[in-house]
Amino acid sequence: MTDAILTTPFLYDFRSDNVAGAAPEVVNALAAAAVGSADPYGQDPLTAGVTRRLSALFEAEVTVFPVATGTAANALALSALVPPYGAVYCHQESHIHVDECGAPEMATGGAKLVPLAGQGGKLTPAALTEALAGAGIGVAHRVQPAALSLTQATEAGTVYRPQEVAALSDVAHAHGMAVHMDGARFANAVARLGCAPAEVTWKAGVDVLSLGGTKGGCLAAEAVVFFNPALAEDFGFLRKRAGHLVSKGRFLSAQLDAWLADDLWLRLARHANAMADRLSQGLAALPGAELAHPVEANEVFVRLPAAVADGLEAAGYRFYRWEGDLLRLVTAFDTPQAVVNSFLKIAKDLSEKA
Ligand SMILES: Cc1ncc(COP(=O)(O)O)c(C=O)c1O
Ligand SMILES: C[C@@H](O)[C@H](N)C(=O)O
C-alpha cells in the first residue's frame, strides 16, 4: 500500500470487513437501547435476551458473555480452557497466532501456541495427530496439550465443513483437549454452508465459540458462547479481571440482539459472500490472474499482473498487499454490487491495456 493511496480520496476500501459501517437495524437498536436506565454489567434484559436467542439458534442451552473485540473473545475463551503450562494447537496463519499481539499467551498466563501448516488456512486431523504424537502427554518437561483452536471462516477465506470440524474435534478430545472456534466470520461460514449453526459447532465437538458480530454489521460486539457449561464456570471472573466486563452491557447486547433477530446476521453475510463470489469470478477471468484459495466466505486472495494491481490502486481502490504479490480483497455486508461491477470493469480495461 503506497503512502499516496492512504492520503488521497478513494473509490472503495476492500482492505477488510473491519472498515465497513454498521447495519441500520443495529444502529437503530442501539439508539433505542440508549433511552432510560438499565441494570449494569450484563444484568439487563437485552443481555438475557441474547442468551435466549443464541440458545434457540444453537438448539442448546448456551452460556453467553458479550465482549467488545474479537481478540478479547479469543484470548479470554482460551484462558478458560488452557492452563499456563498448556498448549493451544492452531493454524500457522491463525489470527490468534499472527494478529493478537500475544493476547492469548497473556490471558492464559503463558500458554504456548503451537502453529501447524495446512492448505487453504485449514488444519487436518493428520497434521494435528502428528503434532500431538509424543507431545506433552506423560512428558513432564513439555507444555501439555490443552486446546485446539479453529477459525471459521478461516483467515484464508475458506470454510470447514461440519465433518471436518468433527474429525478434528475427535482428535482433540481423544487427547483430552478442548475445542475453541474463532468465529469472527462465523456468519459467513454458516451462510456458505447452509447448515444449522449447531451442526458446525457443538454437534461437531466445539466447546466454545468466539462469535463475531463486528465484521458482520455490528459496531463492536462479539460474544463468547460456551456449549459446555462446565468450562464457563469461572469465565465471568476472567472477563472482569481483564477489564472486558462492559458496565453498560446493554449496548453490546442491543447490537447482538438486533443482528441475530430475523436472521439478519445471515442475510448480511450472504450478501458479503455473494459480492466476494462476483469479485473473484470476475478477477479469475482476467489473463494472468490466479486465485490463491477457494473463495468460500467474503475474502478473495488473488495474484494479478502488477500493471493491473497498480492501476487499481491508482484508480482509488484500497486492498492489502498480503504476502509477496498476493492481494487480499474483503467484501462486507454493505459492499454495493455497483462498486464490484465498476472495479471489475476497470480491472478488465487495465488488463487489456497491459
Ligand atoms: C479471523 C479473525 N479473528 C479475530 C479477529 C479479532 O478481531 P478484533 O480485531 O475485533 O480484535 C479478527 C479481526 O479482524 C479476525 O480477522
Ligand atoms: C488483518 C487482520 O488482523 C484483521 N483481523 C482483518 O482481517 O482485517
Side-chain angles (χ1 to χ4, degrees), residues 250-262:
R250 62 169 146 168
F251 293 136
L252 290 181
S253 300
Q255 296 178 66
L256 293 167
D257 184 60
W259 183 62
L260 292 166
D262 307 322

Side-chain angles (χ1 to χ4, degrees), residues 170-198:
D170 287 349
V171 175
H173 290 154
H175 288 81
M177 295 159 59
V179 179
H180 164 255
M181 179 173 276
D182 172 354
R185 296 185 178 93
F186 182 75
N188 302 92
V190 173
R192 177 67 67 191
L193 292 168
C195 68

